[in-house]
Amino acid sequence: MRRRIAAMVGTPRISIVMPTYNARSVWLREAVESVQRQIYPNWELCIADDASSSAESRALVAELAASDARIKVVFRPENGHISAASNSALELATGEWIALMDHDDVLSEHALFWIADCIDRNPKARLIYSDEDKIDEEGVRSSPYFKSNWNLDLFYSHNMFSHLGVFRADLVRRVGGFRLGMQGSQDWDLVLRCMEKIDASQILHVPRVLYHWRIHAESTAGSADAKPYAAIAGERALNEHFSRLGVDAKAEYTGAGHRVRYALPASPPLVSLIIPTRNGLHLLRQCVDSILARTAYENYEIIIVDNGSDDPDTLNYLGSFQDSAFVRVIRDDREFNYSALNNMAVAQAKGDIVGLINNDIEVISPDWLSEMVSLAIQPGVGAVGAKLWYPDRTLQHGGVILGVGGVANHSHKGIAFGDSGYFSRANLIQSFSAVTAACLVVKKERYLSIDGLDEAHLKVAFNDVDFCLRLIEKGFRNIWTPYAELFHHESATRGADTAPEKRERFVREVNYMLDRWDALLKDDPAYSPNLTLDREDFSYAWPPRVELLSTARIQ
């Protein structure tokens, strides 16, 4: 690390801003000592004592400042809470970068090294955040949060930026520093205002645990209930952010995080729901009937693509829609090619929005389509996916993780109903690199702009993953929402299809994906290189892939 520091183009000063008030002496000393142990040398610690009533606390702050010239202190004459104190500490800062640290937390000794390394490799960076974990009163660490790369929709759901958060100093000053009255979510609010001034590509993630967040009775690390005002401030920060951007949306705290509801236009767009099928009357009728009976969104049509049905009961059922105002049936007797069937139907769809729906889907939540459409019409959004349950109420689809099992698999697959998943990610709106086409909604113009599903190379498998990745190539992001819930009557215990010709096709399609998307499959930006590719449960990977990736970059 010291050799790497010597090779850096520059060694920017990092000013650590630390507000303090009646800090417990042992924790404050540990916090400061963790800064003094930093391998990266060019830092300063800017402490603002917010008129502590504890003489012991004030004396320790003064003692620490006297012991090290790199520690600066201001003693505020009156208590102003964390935002005002942070601004006072900010006034002491002379560095090009600002790092935020609480007075009872601990930095890993290589924290600032990895931040400086990121800055050196990415001169256009303006906001940087890292992974984090928790440390209890005895110094025992737990609950590491291995984060994704910048994920706007997850950030709206909870403050994934958090610790260790580092900001360009000129950007912080440009937005006016911390806002008074935002205590509890003052750092979330600061990031929201900063990100409004920069490009998303300037927000970078260091996938290493650089910050240890103290768990105690009064900390939000111990429980969000410790600071109920933080949820209120978070709602306010998000809603004022949307107001500044002119986005018709409203955030509300749900307990697991925040939910953002985007408004539909006064005249919601027509949605064309496309359902390929061959026979399977029981599933098809259940799917169509549930859509017609339980969907609150009114402006939609259903297009059933009949791929060569020969069952008389199924044909009679399809014939019953001949005069329907909501349901059309298109016959296509070609060899089964899921991609081609959908592409053909999209070309004939009347809607500005298309929904790809498997014939074994059953609607649960009446607002499923309203939720998905409200997301799909937002600027920059490509495909939108839903939360799909097996009939036994275990999760079938919570977004798609690239690389799991080789190509891709479903996030949190198999978790029980009520389980919130890894850091509540099974219950939060967020971006994923891909979502399943078993229930996928997208603007028709965006579907057509990338020539739809790949019917030449991916007739059956992974066409939805490839579709989503090509949307990302076009600059769109794909969103998964837990607020559109449906059953997927796919068998949870179904084995692989062993027919030789189908097996050969599957191998060809796997190899195509591995060749086409090699880099993304190895390092999904919506996942973490610290997490496993062997399972869907967000388990820790050993050895961590981040070491392999970082070593390759450094060499």
Side-chain angles (χ1 to χ4, degrees):
M1 289 182 180
R2 293 191 177 99
R3 287 195 299 271
R4 171 75 184 103
I5 292 168
M8 290 179 181
V9 173
T11 52
R13 178 173 297 170
I14 301 173
S15 299
I16 301 168
V17 166
M18 180 187 288
T20 184
Y21 177 74
N22 287 346
R24 190 180 298 188
S25 296
V26 62
W27 291 347
L28 178 58
R29 192 179 293 277
E30 279 187 34
V32 172
E33 288 176 351
S34 77
V35 176
Q36 291 175 311
R37 286 195 299 269
Q38 290 300 301
I39 294 166
Y40 181 77
N42 197 9
W43 56 265
E44 63 181 5
L45 177 58
C46 304
I47 302 176
D49 180 273
D50 196 24
S52 291
S53 58
S54 166
E56 179 186 4
S57 178
R58 292 197 310 272
L60 178 57
V61 169
E63 173 196 328
L64 293 169
S67 70
D68 193 323
R70 297 170 296 179
I71 301 176
K72 302 177 177 181
V73 173
V74 59
F75 290 93
R76 289 174 48 80
E78 60 182 13
N79 182 264
H81 301 295
I82 192 167
S83 292
S86 296
N87 283 335
S88 294
L90 186 60
E91 290 175 4
L92 301 174
T94 62
E96 300 98 309
W97 289 83
I98 303 295
L100 306 185
M101 184 177 182
D102 293 342
H103 66 195
D104 47 5
D105 297 339
V106 178
L107 294 183
S108 67
E109 65 178 351
H110 57 293
L112 299 186
F113 164 79
W114 285 112
I115 297 299
D117 174 78
C118 182
I119 294 167
D120 186 64
R121 297 179 189 279
N122 303 278
K124 293 185 179 180
R126 292 297 177 269
L127 298 175
I128 302 171
Y129 64 100
S130 78
D131 296 346
E132 61 190 80
D133 66 10
K134 296 181 175 66
I135 187 169
D136 67 13
E137 299 185 32
E138 305 301 322
V140 177
R141 290 167 51 193
S142 62
S143 302
Y145 185 5
F146 298 117
K147 305 173 186 177
S148 70
N149 283 358
W150 181 240
N151 191 320
L152 176 64
D153 303 287
L154 182 57
F155 177 68
Y156 285 161
S157 297
H158 70 196
N159 184 9
M160 61 168 287
F161 190 93
S162 196
H163 302 307
L164 176 63
V166 185
F167 306 68
R168 275 285 299 196
D170 54 0
L171 179 60
V172 172
R173 294 190 173 97
R174 179 182 172 192
V175 302
F178 295 89
R179 286 204 297 165
L180 304 185
M182 299 302 294
Q183 51 264 33
S185 289
Q186 72 285 340
D187 52 347
W188 199 2
D189 174 67
L190 178 62
V191 179
L192 286 164
R193 288 181 290 119
C194 285
M195 60 180 266
E196 294 166 14
K197 307 296 184 183
I198 62 176
D199 188 81
S201 64
Q202 296 175 293
I203 308 174
L204 299 181
H205 170 224
V206 176
R208 296 174 180 274
V209 175
L210 305 185
Y211 195 98
H212 314 306
W213 194 6
R214 184 78 65 177
I215 304 172
H216 56 84
E218 294 81 30
S219 75
T220 50
S223 169
D225 295 335
K227 296 181 179 179
Y229 54 85
I232 298 172
E235 281 189 11
R236 177 184 164 193
L238 287 165
N239 288 322
E240 291 181 4
H241 165 73
F242 293 131
S243 178
R244 290 190 297 270
L245 295 183
V247 175
D248 192 356
K250 183 174 178 58
E252 59 186 41
Y253 183 64
T254 66
H258 287 75
R259 177 183 181 180
V260 179
R261 296 178 185 265
Y262 295 89
L264 289 167
S267 298
L270 176 66
V271 182
S272 298
L273 301 175
I274 297 166
I275 308 173
T277 193
R278 185 179 190 276
N279 297 323
L281 176 59
H282 169 70
L283 289 173
L284 177 63
R285 176 182 281 147
Q286 177 177 257
C287 176
V288 173
D289 288 356
S290 73
I291 293 172
L292 294 172
R294 301 174 195 160
T295 300
Y297 192 95
E298 296 181 349
N299 195 19
Y300 66 88
E301 65 170 355
I302 296 174
I303 302 174
I304 300 174
V305 183
D306 176 18
N307 186 218
S309 292
D310 55 12
D311 170 60
D313 290 338
T314 302
L315 293 173
N316 287 336
Y317 176 72
L318 295 174
S320 70
F321 295 115
Q322 183 173 348
D323 299 320
S324 172
F326 291 98
V327 183
R328 283 192 283 153
V329 178
I330 302 174
R331 179 82 177 190
D332 190 324
D333 289 337
R334 288 178 292 178
E335 178 187 10
F336 178 68
N337 180 326
Y338 179 84
S339 297
L341 294 174
N342 280 287
N343 289 345
M344 178 274 295
V346 169
Q348 300 186 44
K350 298 175 183 177
D352 292 328
I353 307 288
V354 294
L356 308 186
I357 308 293
N358 276 16
N359 69 350
D360 54 0
I361 289 294
E362 180 185 359
V363 172
I364 300 173
S365 54
D367 290 334
W368 72 280
L369 192 53
S370 302
E371 169 74 3
M372 296 180 79
V373 172
S374 73
L375 289 164
I377 62 176
Q378 298 307 310
V381 174
V384 178
K387 190 172 192 176
L388 305 182
W389 296 98
Y390 289 119
D392 66 357
R393 286 282 188 171
T394 57
L395 191 65
Q396 192 267 342
H397 174 254
V400 172
I401 304 171
L402 304 180
V404 173
V407 176
N409 217 319
H410 292 178
S411 166
H412 291 111
K413 187 175 182 179
I415 68 169
F417 185 78
D419 188 336
S420 61
Y422 185 72
F423 284 85
S424 297
R425 285 190 64 172
N427 281 344
L428 299 175
I429 298 172
Q430 62 203 273
S431 296
F432 275 98
S433 293
V435 293
T436 180
C439 183
L440 180 155
V441 169
V442 63
K443 275 190 168 184
K444 181 178 177 179
E445 64 180 6
R446 292 174 187 168
Y447 188 101
L448 296 176
S449 73
I450 61 169
D451 300 322
L453 302 178
D454 186 343
E455 55 189 79
H457 301 101
L458 300 169
K459 297 179 180 181
V460 179
F462 304 119
N463 38 50
D464 46 5
V465 177
D466 172 79
F467 175 80
C468 288
L469 297 184
R470 285 186 285 117
L471 283 170
I472 290 174
E473 275 190 330
K474 282 281 190 177
F476 298 110
R477 70 186 195 275
N478 303 307
I479 298 179
W480 175 82
T481 175
Y483 302 110
E485 294 187 273
L486 306 97
F487 283 127
H488 190 188
H489 291 271
E490 176 186 65
S491 171
T493 59
R494 186 178 65 188
D497 194 330
T498 57
E501 67 278 7
K502 294 182 179 180
R503 177 64 184 167
E504 290 172 8
R505 182 195 61 218
F506 180 74
V507 170
R508 285 196 305 271
E509 292 177 344
V510 166
N511 288 336
Y512 176 81
M513 291 296 292
L514 294 175
D515 291 340
R516 176 70 170 85
W517 301 110
D518 177 68
L520 277 174
L521 299 186
K522 290 178 178 176
D523 189 16
D524 185 346
Y527 193 49
S528 168
N530 291 306
L531 297 174
T532 185
L533 295 181
D534 296 329
R535 294 177 302 282
E536 307 95 339
D537 60 1
F538 288 75
S539 300
Y540 184 55
W542 188 260
R545 289 175 291 123
V546 68
E547 294 294 343
L548 304 175
L549 295 169
S550 297
T551 301
R553 286 198 296 265
I554 290 172
Q555 289 176 342

